[in-house]
Amino acid sequence: MNFLFAYKMAIKSIWGNKTRSALTMLGVIIGVMAVIVAVGFAQGSMQTVTNRIEGMGSNLITCMILSTSESKQLTLKDLESLEQSSQYITKISPYILKQSNVKYETNTKSTRIFGTDENYLEMEGMKLESGRFISALDIEKNDKVAVVGATIKNKLYDDEDPVGKYIKINGTKFLVIGCVESVANGMEGTNDDMVMLPISVAQRTLKITNVTMFLAEARDGDVIDIATQKVKDFLFDIYRDNDQYVVITQEAMLSVMGDISGIMMLILGSIATISLVVGGIGIMNIMLVSVSERTREIGIRKAIGAKRRDIMIQFLIESLLLTGIGGIIGIILGLLAIKYIIGNIGLIQPVYSLPWTIAAFSISLTIGITFGLFPAYKAAKLNPIEALRNE
Amino acid sequence: MIDLKNIYKIYKLGENEVFALNDVSLHIDRHEFVSIIGPSGSGKSTLMNILGCLDVPSKGTYTLDGKLVAGKTDDELAEIRNNMIGFVFQGFNLLPKLSAIENVELPLIYKNVPAAERRKLAKEALEKVGLGERINHKPTELSGGQQQRVAIARALVTNPPIILGDEPTGNLDSKVGKEVMDIFKDLHAQGNTIILITHDSDVAAQAKRIVRIQDGKLYEES
């Protein structure tokens, strides 16, 4: 039969049962929306983290000391010798870390205190918003200076420029010399939520003598493996046990992130697809109701010459239209949700994925056909005499 | 044109076999106007279903226009109904969501007639039954007589050799029923073959030939 006419009939039938059609479509709408939002969320959060890692520079080697041994401790001197011992390692930036309370006038906050050197800012890929960073001279002279993150600026200084003001840590006053540009929209617990001190001063203030972490920079990307091995050998010489420390290259971090991202997409994608299938079952349910309601109509059509195929097409087009329209509405709502809801959470920059949108729409159409097939088949094989007898 | 030979239709009701049609033979020529009359339960609906190719006999041969109607698939029967038979039912059986003219177009859609020609043929058929206006109204907006006219137009529109009426005046009052009967007479005068199935002897009497059915057996009257 004529497809155009079948569409006209399907639209008439959908329009004739507005509430029912809308509720049926809702399943598909929510399903498609869930796919788009879930994928946008997963991809967006991964993108944010990946950007951060990549911003750190691809030649970066991050080392963490897990050992709590009193006798075997990594010192600043050790690191100096490492820096000088290899031509493949150009820079090393040690740092120590401790959670502590900071105070300005009546404002207090618990934050992470970093003790580090002049290389840290650049190696982490961060930028200054105002003032200057810690210098080698500050470390040498034990200057009581501090560089603060965006969260501190916001919470302690009410978003005013903190440079030139003081900050109190463990009862000691520090002069704020710089403020770091926000990397995570000033959220709590992120890299915005910290105060950096010269490492020499931090060791004294926080009462830490050893170095717990350091960043090493390889000369270039080609020698990163050699440089990594060099760092590992150096740490093994000190600790004699490779469970006592962790050495991570940026490449390894990215590959781990890639794995996590894949798993996250898979989980979120499957949950969203399940909701699409549930929507599809709703479609089948309504189509079955529609077939039994229209038994007499099917009988009339068959009596005047409709073949099985004609009846099947009619019902299939109806379920296809329901899922198609539902899919389009779902895509629009999904995009709005990404833009206005996830986009406003702040930390994560949501990503709109065209391939997944196409996939979600195709899945919804496939569901329309799959779940419409059984009711349509049921309608097509109705016996015209019995169908005509139906009131 | 229609040739039924020793037709049986047997239904199984538990252990018992019910002979809805019991050795029925009937021959109807082109351009005849035949009434088949019988009380309810006489087997006249079964006979109509078989004549209309909605059902197939349990035994016997049915030749329609020189072709055997046996061993056909559902779709082949649908095609025969579409091309050969125009149905007019007691309850009109129009599709409520379609307008009068769309209802008339429906058999042509299943015949894949192009839209413009469909419109034209449907209009002509509606004019033939005296319904040139109100063709864009829904069935619920039409009177019973008008609805039956639409149904007759739908039966006519493919220009089938046989028009099969199943109690076509059963839901109409006597005045409107007479008008509908006049349409059938007109159609007969224009050369159509008409078979009416009824329990009403007044209706049956208006045909040229009357066949009585009783307990699944046919008796010729004249």
Side-chain angles (χ1 to χ4, degrees), chain A residues 97-154:
Chain A
L97 176 64
K98 199 174 181 183
Q99 192 79 20
S100 182
N101 277 325
V102 294
K103 189 174 174 189
Y104 173 70
E105 291 178 346
T106 53
N107 299 334
T108 58
K109 186 182 182 327
S110 171
T111 189
R112 288 178 303 163
I113 312 293
F114 274 76
T116 187
D117 72 0
E118 71 276 11
N119 294 326
Y120 184 76
L121 187 80
E122 188 202 330
M123 286 170 88
E124 272 280 16
M126 293 191 286
K127 288 193 183 80
L128 281 177
E129 188 181 276
S130 60
R132 64 172 182 90
F133 196 63
I134 296 159
S135 70
L137 204 62
D138 292 329
I139 297 167
E140 206 176 300
K141 291 170 64 187
N142 292 331
D143 283 338
K144 286 189 178 122
V145 292
V147 174
V148 299
T151 312
I152 305 299
K153 177 188 172 191
N154 176 269

Short mmCIF file of all heavy atoms in Angstrom, two decimals, chain A residues 97-154:
data_model
loop_
_atom_site.label_atom_id
_atom_site.label_comp_id
_atom_site.label_asym_id
_atom_site.label_seq_id
_atom_site.Cartn_x
_atom_site.Cartn_y
_atom_site.Cartn_z
N LEU A 97 53.18 17.67 51.49
CA LEU A 97 51.76 17.98 51.50
C LEU A 97 51.17 17.66 52.85
O LEU A 97 51.45 16.61 53.42
CB LEU A 97 51.11 17.11 50.40
CG LEU A 97 49.62 17.14 50.21
CD1 LEU A 97 49.18 18.52 49.77
CD2 LEU A 97 49.24 16.13 49.14
N LYS A 98 50.35 18.57 53.37
CA LYS A 98 49.66 18.28 54.63
C LYS A 98 48.38 19.10 54.71
O LYS A 98 48.35 20.25 54.29
CB LYS A 98 50.57 18.62 55.82
CG LYS A 98 50.13 17.93 57.10
CD LYS A 98 51.14 18.17 58.20
CE LYS A 98 50.72 17.49 59.49
NZ LYS A 98 51.65 17.79 60.57
N GLN A 99 47.36 18.51 55.27
CA GLN A 99 46.11 19.22 55.47
C GLN A 99 46.26 20.09 56.72
O GLN A 99 46.77 19.64 57.75
CB GLN A 99 44.97 18.20 55.66
CG GLN A 99 43.58 18.78 55.59
CD GLN A 99 43.13 19.02 54.16
OE1 GLN A 99 43.68 18.45 53.23
NE2 GLN A 99 42.14 19.87 53.97
N SER A 100 45.84 21.34 56.63
CA SER A 100 45.98 22.21 57.79
C SER A 100 44.95 23.34 57.72
O SER A 100 44.35 23.57 56.67
CB SER A 100 47.39 22.79 57.81
OG SER A 100 47.55 23.59 58.95
N ASN A 101 44.76 24.04 58.85
CA ASN A 101 43.84 25.17 58.84
C ASN A 101 44.56 26.45 58.45
O ASN A 101 45.70 26.68 58.86
CB ASN A 101 43.23 25.38 60.23
CG ASN A 101 42.04 24.45 60.43
OD1 ASN A 101 41.30 24.17 59.49
ND2 ASN A 101 41.89 23.94 61.64
N VAL A 102 43.91 27.28 57.65
CA VAL A 102 44.48 28.57 57.31
C VAL A 102 43.50 29.65 57.75
O VAL A 102 42.31 29.41 57.85
CB VAL A 102 44.77 28.69 55.79
CG1 VAL A 102 45.85 27.71 55.37
CG2 VAL A 102 43.51 28.50 54.97
N LYS A 103 44.01 30.85 58.00
CA LYS A 103 43.16 31.88 58.57
C LYS A 103 43.54 33.24 58.02
O LYS A 103 44.72 33.54 57.83
CB LYS A 103 43.33 31.88 60.10
CG LYS A 103 42.34 32.75 60.82
CD LYS A 103 42.49 32.56 62.32
CE LYS A 103 41.60 33.56 63.04
NZ LYS A 103 41.84 33.58 64.47
N TYR A 104 42.54 34.05 57.70
CA TYR A 104 42.77 35.46 57.38
C TYR A 104 41.69 36.26 58.08
O TYR A 104 40.49 36.02 57.84
CB TYR A 104 42.72 35.71 55.87
CG TYR A 104 42.79 37.18 55.52
CD1 TYR A 104 43.98 37.90 55.71
CD2 TYR A 104 41.68 37.86 55.02
CE1 TYR A 104 44.04 39.24 55.42
CE2 TYR A 104 41.73 39.20 54.72
CZ TYR A 104 42.93 39.90 54.91
OH TYR A 104 42.99 41.23 54.63
N GLU A 105 42.09 37.20 58.92
CA GLU A 105 41.15 37.92 59.78
C GLU A 105 40.24 36.92 60.48
O GLU A 105 40.73 36.06 61.20
CB GLU A 105 40.40 38.98 58.97
CG GLU A 105 41.36 40.10 58.57
CD GLU A 105 40.73 41.19 57.72
OE1 GLU A 105 39.60 40.98 57.22
OE2 GLU A 105 41.34 42.25 57.58
N THR A 106 38.92 36.96 60.24
CA THR A 106 38.06 36.00 60.95
C THR A 106 37.72 34.77 60.10
O THR A 106 37.03 33.87 60.57
CB THR A 106 36.75 36.68 61.37
OG1 THR A 106 36.18 37.26 60.22
CG2 THR A 106 36.99 37.72 62.44
N ASN A 107 38.18 34.76 58.88
CA ASN A 107 37.86 33.62 58.00
C ASN A 107 38.87 32.49 58.21
O ASN A 107 40.07 32.71 58.13
CB ASN A 107 37.92 34.04 56.53
CG ASN A 107 36.91 35.13 56.21
OD1 ASN A 107 35.88 35.23 56.89
ND2 ASN A 107 37.22 35.94 55.22
N THR A 108 38.34 31.27 58.42
CA THR A 108 39.26 30.13 58.50
C THR A 108 38.75 29.03 57.55
O THR A 108 37.58 28.97 57.18
CB THR A 108 39.34 29.53 59.90
OG1 THR A 108 38.03 29.13 60.29
CG2 THR A 108 39.92 30.50 60.89
N LYS A 109 39.68 28.17 57.18
CA LYS A 109 39.33 27.10 56.27
C LYS A 109 40.38 26.00 56.39
O LYS A 109 41.54 26.28 56.64
CB LYS A 109 39.32 27.65 54.84
CG LYS A 109 38.84 26.63 53.83
CD LYS A 109 38.87 27.14 52.43
CE LYS A 109 38.34 26.10 51.47
NZ LYS A 109 38.60 24.73 51.81
N SER A 110 39.96 24.75 56.21
CA SER A 110 40.93 23.67 56.18
C SER A 110 41.32 23.44 54.72
O SER A 110 40.47 23.37 53.84
CB SER A 110 40.28 22.40 56.75
OG SER A 110 41.12 21.30 56.53
N THR A 111 42.63 23.36 54.46
CA THR A 111 43.05 23.20 53.07
C THR A 111 44.35 22.40 53.02
O THR A 111 44.91 22.04 54.07
CB THR A 111 43.22 24.57 52.38
OG1 THR A 111 43.43 24.36 51.00
CG2 THR A 111 44.40 25.34 52.95
N ARG A 112 44.83 22.12 51.84
CA ARG A 112 46.08 21.38 51.69
C ARG A 112 47.23 22.39 51.58
O ARG A 112 47.15 23.33 50.81
CB ARG A 112 46.04 20.51 50.44
CG ARG A 112 45.11 19.31 50.60
CD ARG A 112 45.06 18.50 49.34
NE ARG A 112 44.65 19.35 48.22
CZ ARG A 112 44.83 19.02 46.95
NH1 ARG A 112 45.44 17.90 46.65
NH2 ARG A 112 44.42 19.81 46.01
N ILE A 113 48.24 22.16 52.37
CA ILE A 113 49.42 23.01 52.32
C ILE A 113 50.49 22.27 51.53
O ILE A 113 50.83 21.12 51.84
CB ILE A 113 49.96 23.32 53.74
CG1 ILE A 113 48.83 23.76 54.66
CG2 ILE A 113 51.09 24.34 53.66
CD1 ILE A 113 48.23 25.08 54.33
N PHE A 114 50.97 22.90 50.50
CA PHE A 114 52.05 22.33 49.69
C PHE A 114 53.34 23.04 50.03
O PHE A 114 53.38 24.26 50.12
CB PHE A 114 51.80 22.58 48.19
CG PHE A 114 50.93 21.56 47.54
CD1 PHE A 114 49.57 21.55 47.75
CD2 PHE A 114 51.49 20.62 46.67
CE1 PHE A 114 48.76 20.62 47.13
CE2 PHE A 114 50.69 19.69 46.05
CZ PHE A 114 49.33 19.68 46.27
N GLY A 115 54.41 22.25 50.21
CA GLY A 115 55.72 22.86 50.27
C GLY A 115 56.44 22.46 49.00
O GLY A 115 56.52 21.27 48.68
N THR A 116 56.91 23.43 48.24
CA THR A 116 57.49 23.06 46.94
C THR A 116 58.54 24.09 46.50
O THR A 116 58.88 24.99 47.27
CB THR A 116 56.36 22.90 45.90
OG1 THR A 116 56.92 22.39 44.72
CG2 THR A 116 55.68 24.22 45.63
N ASP A 117 59.06 23.95 45.30
CA ASP A 117 60.08 24.88 44.84
C ASP A 117 59.62 25.64 43.61
O ASP A 117 58.47 25.51 43.18
CB ASP A 117 61.42 24.17 44.60
CG ASP A 117 61.40 23.30 43.37
OD1 ASP A 117 60.34 23.24 42.71
OD2 ASP A 117 62.42 22.66 43.07
N GLU A 118 60.54 26.41 43.03
CA GLU A 118 60.18 27.35 41.96
C GLU A 118 59.72 26.66 40.67
O GLU A 118 59.08 27.27 39.82
CB GLU A 118 61.37 28.29 41.68
CG GLU A 118 62.58 27.65 41.00
CD GLU A 118 63.54 26.96 41.97
OE1 GLU A 118 63.17 26.80 43.16
OE2 GLU A 118 64.64 26.57 41.56
N ASN A 119 60.04 25.36 40.51
CA ASN A 119 59.68 24.68 39.26
C ASN A 119 58.24 24.16 39.22
O ASN A 119 57.72 23.84 38.17
CB ASN A 119 60.61 23.47 39.03
CG ASN A 119 62.03 23.91 38.78
OD1 ASN A 119 62.26 24.97 38.18
ND2 ASN A 119 62.99 23.12 39.24
N TYR A 120 57.66 24.03 40.40
CA TYR A 120 56.39 23.29 40.52
C TYR A 120 55.27 23.84 39.64
O TYR A 120 54.58 23.11 38.94
CB TYR A 120 55.95 23.27 41.99
CG TYR A 120 54.72 22.44 42.22
CD1 TYR A 120 54.80 21.05 42.23
CD2 TYR A 120 53.47 23.04 42.40
CE1 TYR A 120 53.69 20.28 42.42
CE2 TYR A 120 52.35 22.27 42.59
CZ TYR A 120 52.46 20.89 42.60
OH TYR A 120 51.33 20.14 42.78
N LEU A 121 55.10 25.15 39.68
CA LEU A 121 53.97 25.77 38.99
C LEU A 121 53.96 25.42 37.50
O LEU A 121 52.95 24.95 36.96
CB LEU A 121 54.05 27.29 39.16
CG LEU A 121 52.83 28.05 38.62
CD1 LEU A 121 51.70 27.98 39.63
CD2 LEU A 121 53.18 29.50 38.33
N GLU A 122 55.11 25.59 36.90
CA GLU A 122 55.21 25.37 35.46
C GLU A 122 55.06 23.88 35.13
O GLU A 122 54.40 23.50 34.17
CB GLU A 122 56.56 25.90 34.98
CG GLU A 122 56.70 25.88 33.48
CD GLU A 122 58.17 25.89 33.06
OE1 GLU A 122 59.00 26.47 33.81
OE2 GLU A 122 58.48 25.31 32.02
N MET A 123 55.68 23.02 35.98
CA MET A 123 55.62 21.59 35.70
C MET A 123 54.20 21.05 35.85
O MET A 123 53.80 20.13 35.15
CB MET A 123 56.58 20.84 36.63
CG MET A 123 58.03 21.05 36.21
SD MET A 123 59.18 20.42 37.44
CE MET A 123 59.35 18.72 36.94
N GLU A 124 53.42 21.61 36.75
CA GLU A 124 52.02 21.17 36.92
C GLU A 124 51.12 21.79 35.86
O GLU A 124 49.95 21.48 35.75
CB GLU A 124 51.51 21.55 38.31
CG GLU A 124 51.79 20.51 39.37
CD GLU A 124 50.82 19.34 39.36
OE1 GLU A 124 50.10 19.16 38.35
OE2 GLU A 124 50.78 18.59 40.34
N GLY A 125 51.69 22.71 35.09
CA GLY A 125 50.91 23.33 34.02
C GLY A 125 49.92 24.37 34.53
O GLY A 125 48.90 24.63 33.91
N MET A 126 50.22 24.97 35.70
CA MET A 126 49.30 25.98 36.24
C MET A 126 49.83 27.38 35.92
O MET A 126 51.01 27.56 35.62
CB MET A 126 49.16 25.79 37.74
CG MET A 126 48.45 24.49 38.08
SD MET A 126 47.98 24.35 39.81
CE MET A 126 49.52 24.03 40.59
N LYS A 127 48.94 28.36 35.99
CA LYS A 127 49.34 29.74 35.69
C LYS A 127 48.97 30.65 36.85
O LYS A 127 48.06 30.35 37.62
CB LYS A 127 48.61 30.22 34.43
CG LYS A 127 49.10 29.60 33.16
CD LYS A 127 48.55 30.36 31.96
CE LYS A 127 48.96 29.71 30.65
NZ LYS A 127 48.12 28.54 30.30
N LEU A 128 49.67 31.77 36.96
CA LEU A 128 49.37 32.73 38.01
C LEU A 128 48.31 33.72 37.54
O LEU A 128 48.29 34.12 36.38
CB LEU A 128 50.64 33.51 38.39
CG LEU A 128 51.63 32.81 39.31
CD1 LEU A 128 52.84 33.69 39.50
CD2 LEU A 128 51.00 32.46 40.64
N GLU A 129 47.44 34.08 38.47
CA GLU A 129 46.44 35.09 38.14
C GLU A 129 46.99 36.47 38.51
O GLU A 129 46.74 37.46 37.82
CB GLU A 129 45.17 34.80 38.95
CG GLU A 129 43.99 35.65 38.57
CD GLU A 129 42.80 35.30 39.44
OE1 GLU A 129 42.10 34.33 39.08
OE2 GLU A 129 42.59 35.96 40.45
N SER A 130 47.71 36.52 39.63
CA SER A 130 48.32 37.79 40.03
C SER A 130 49.55 37.50 40.88
O SER A 130 49.72 36.38 41.39
CB SER A 130 47.30 38.63 40.82
OG SER A 130 46.90 37.92 41.98
N GLY A 131 50.41 38.47 41.03
CA GLY A 131 51.60 38.33 41.87
C GLY A 131 52.68 37.48 41.21
O GLY A 131 52.73 37.37 40.00
N ARG A 132 53.50 36.84 42.03
CA ARG A 132 54.58 36.00 41.51
C ARG A 132 54.58 34.66 42.23
O ARG A 132 53.88 34.48 43.23
CB ARG A 132 55.91 36.71 41.69
CG ARG A 132 56.29 36.93 43.16
CD ARG A 132 57.72 37.46 43.29
NE ARG A 132 58.08 37.62 44.69
CZ ARG A 132 58.66 36.65 45.44
NH1 ARG A 132 58.91 35.46 44.92
NH2 ARG A 132 58.97 36.88 46.69
N PHE A 133 55.39 33.72 41.70
CA PHE A 133 55.45 32.41 42.33
C PHE A 133 56.65 32.36 43.27
O PHE A 133 57.48 33.28 43.30
CB PHE A 133 55.53 31.31 41.26
CG PHE A 133 55.23 29.95 41.79
CD1 PHE A 133 53.97 29.66 42.32
CD2 PHE A 133 56.20 28.96 41.80
CE1 PHE A 133 53.69 28.41 42.83
CE2 PHE A 133 55.92 27.70 42.32
CZ PHE A 133 54.67 27.42 42.83
N ILE A 134 56.76 31.29 44.03
CA ILE A 134 57.89 31.07 44.93
C ILE A 134 59.19 31.05 44.12
O ILE A 134 59.23 30.45 43.04
CB ILE A 134 57.70 29.73 45.67
CG1 ILE A 134 56.44 29.80 46.53
CG2 ILE A 134 58.93 29.35 46.48
CD1 ILE A 134 55.88 28.47 46.90
N SER A 135 60.24 31.69 44.62
CA SER A 135 61.51 31.71 43.90
C SER A 135 62.56 30.91 44.67
O SER A 135 62.35 30.55 45.84
CB SER A 135 61.98 33.14 43.73
OG SER A 135 62.37 33.65 44.98
N ALA A 136 63.65 30.63 44.01
CA ALA A 136 64.75 29.90 44.65
C ALA A 136 65.26 30.68 45.86
O ALA A 136 65.62 30.10 46.89
CB ALA A 136 65.87 29.65 43.65
N LEU A 137 65.24 31.98 45.72
CA LEU A 137 65.71 32.85 46.80
C LEU A 137 64.82 32.71 48.05
O LEU A 137 65.31 32.71 49.17
CB LEU A 137 65.73 34.30 46.32
CG LEU A 137 66.67 35.26 47.05
CD1 LEU A 137 68.14 34.82 46.88
CD2 LEU A 137 66.48 36.68 46.55
N ASP A 138 63.51 32.64 47.83
CA ASP A 138 62.57 32.46 48.95
C ASP A 138 62.94 31.21 49.75
O ASP A 138 62.88 31.21 50.98
CB ASP A 138 61.13 32.28 48.41
CG ASP A 138 60.59 33.55 47.79
OD1 ASP A 138 60.97 34.64 48.24
OD2 ASP A 138 59.77 33.43 46.85
N ILE A 139 63.30 30.16 49.02
CA ILE A 139 63.63 28.90 49.69
C ILE A 139 64.93 29.06 50.47
O ILE A 139 65.04 28.66 51.63
CB ILE A 139 63.73 27.76 48.65
CG1 ILE A 139 62.37 27.57 47.96
CG2 ILE A 139 64.17 26.45 49.30
CD1 ILE A 139 62.40 26.72 46.74
N GLU A 140 65.90 29.66 49.80
CA GLU A 140 67.21 29.85 50.42
C GLU A 140 67.09 30.70 51.70
O GLU A 140 67.68 30.39 52.72
CB GLU A 140 68.11 30.56 49.43
CG GLU A 140 69.60 30.29 49.63
CD GLU A 140 70.38 30.96 48.54
OE1 GLU A 140 70.15 30.62 47.34
OE2 GLU A 140 71.20 31.84 48.84
N LYS A 141 66.31 31.80 51.61
CA LYS A 141 66.21 32.73 52.72
C LYS A 141 65.11 32.39 53.72
O LYS A 141 64.86 33.14 54.66
CB LYS A 141 65.98 34.15 52.19
CG LYS A 141 67.20 34.70 51.47
CD LYS A 141 66.87 35.99 50.75
CE LYS A 141 66.47 37.09 51.72
NZ LYS A 141 66.00 38.29 50.96
N ASN A 142 64.43 31.22 53.48
CA ASN A 142 63.32 30.82 54.36
C ASN A 142 62.26 31.91 54.50
O ASN A 142 61.77 32.20 55.59
CB ASN A 142 63.83 30.44 55.74
CG ASN A 142 64.65 29.17 55.69
OD1 ASN A 142 64.41 28.31 54.81
ND2 ASN A 142 65.61 29.04 56.57
N ASP A 143 61.94 32.58 53.40
CA ASP A 143 60.95 33.65 53.44
C ASP A 143 59.57 33.11 53.75
O ASP A 143 59.16 32.08 53.21
CB ASP A 143 60.90 34.37 52.08
CG ASP A 143 62.07 35.31 51.92
OD1 ASP A 143 62.66 35.71 52.95
OD2 ASP A 143 62.39 35.61 50.75
N LYS A 144 58.87 33.82 54.62
CA LYS A 144 57.51 33.37 54.97
C LYS A 144 56.51 33.94 53.98
O LYS A 144 55.82 34.92 54.24
CB LYS A 144 57.18 33.80 56.40
CG LYS A 144 57.94 32.94 57.40
CD LYS A 144 57.48 33.18 58.82
CE LYS A 144 58.24 32.27 59.75
NZ LYS A 144 58.99 33.00 60.79
N VAL A 145 56.51 33.33 52.78
CA VAL A 145 55.61 33.78 51.72
C VAL A 145 54.71 32.62 51.30
O VAL A 145 55.04 31.46 51.52
CB VAL A 145 56.39 34.31 50.50
CG1 VAL A 145 57.12 35.59 50.84
CG2 VAL A 145 57.33 33.26 49.96
N ALA A 146 53.57 32.94 50.70
CA ALA A 146 52.62 31.90 50.28
C ALA A 146 51.97 32.27 48.95
O ALA A 146 51.78 33.44 48.66
CB ALA A 146 51.55 31.71 51.36
N VAL A 147 51.65 31.24 48.18
CA VAL A 147 50.87 31.42 46.96
C VAL A 147 49.57 30.64 47.17
O VAL A 147 49.59 29.49 47.60
CB VAL A 147 51.64 30.89 45.72
CG1 VAL A 147 50.77 30.94 44.48
CG2 VAL A 147 52.93 31.67 45.52
N VAL A 148 48.43 31.28 46.88
CA VAL A 148 47.14 30.63 47.21
C VAL A 148 46.37 30.28 45.94
O VAL A 148 46.57 30.87 44.88
CB VAL A 148 46.28 31.53 48.12
CG1 VAL A 148 46.98 31.81 49.42
CG2 VAL A 148 45.91 32.82 47.39
N GLY A 149 45.48 29.30 46.08
CA GLY A 149 44.61 28.86 44.98
C GLY A 149 43.31 29.64 44.96
O GLY A 149 43.01 30.42 45.88
N ALA A 150 42.52 29.40 43.93
CA ALA A 150 41.30 30.17 43.70
C ALA A 150 40.27 29.98 44.81
O ALA A 150 39.54 30.91 45.16
CB ALA A 150 40.70 29.80 42.35
N THR A 151 40.20 28.78 45.36
CA THR A 151 39.22 28.52 46.42
C THR A 151 39.55 29.35 47.66
O THR A 151 38.66 29.88 48.33
CB THR A 151 39.21 27.02 46.77
OG1 THR A 151 39.15 26.28 45.57
CG2 THR A 151 38.01 26.66 47.63
N ILE A 152 40.87 29.43 47.96
CA ILE A 152 41.30 30.21 49.12
C ILE A 152 40.97 31.69 48.89
O ILE A 152 40.47 32.38 49.78
CB ILE A 152 42.82 30.03 49.33
CG1 ILE A 152 43.18 28.55 49.44
CG2 ILE A 152 43.28 30.80 50.57
CD1 ILE A 152 42.52 27.82 50.58
N LYS A 153 41.26 32.16 47.68
CA LYS A 153 40.97 33.56 47.36
C LYS A 153 39.49 33.85 47.60
O LYS A 153 39.13 34.86 48.19
CB LYS A 153 41.32 33.80 45.88
CG LYS A 153 40.98 35.21 45.40
CD LYS A 153 41.17 35.29 43.91
CE LYS A 153 40.66 36.60 43.37
NZ LYS A 153 40.60 36.61 41.91
N ASN A 154 38.68 32.91 47.19
CA ASN A 154 37.23 33.09 47.32
C ASN A 154 36.76 33.01 48.77
O ASN A 154 36.00 33.85 49.24
CB ASN A 154 36.54 32.03 46.46
CG ASN A 154 35.04 32.06 46.58
OD1 ASN A 154 34.48 31.36 47.42
ND2 ASN A 154 34.40 32.91 45.80
#
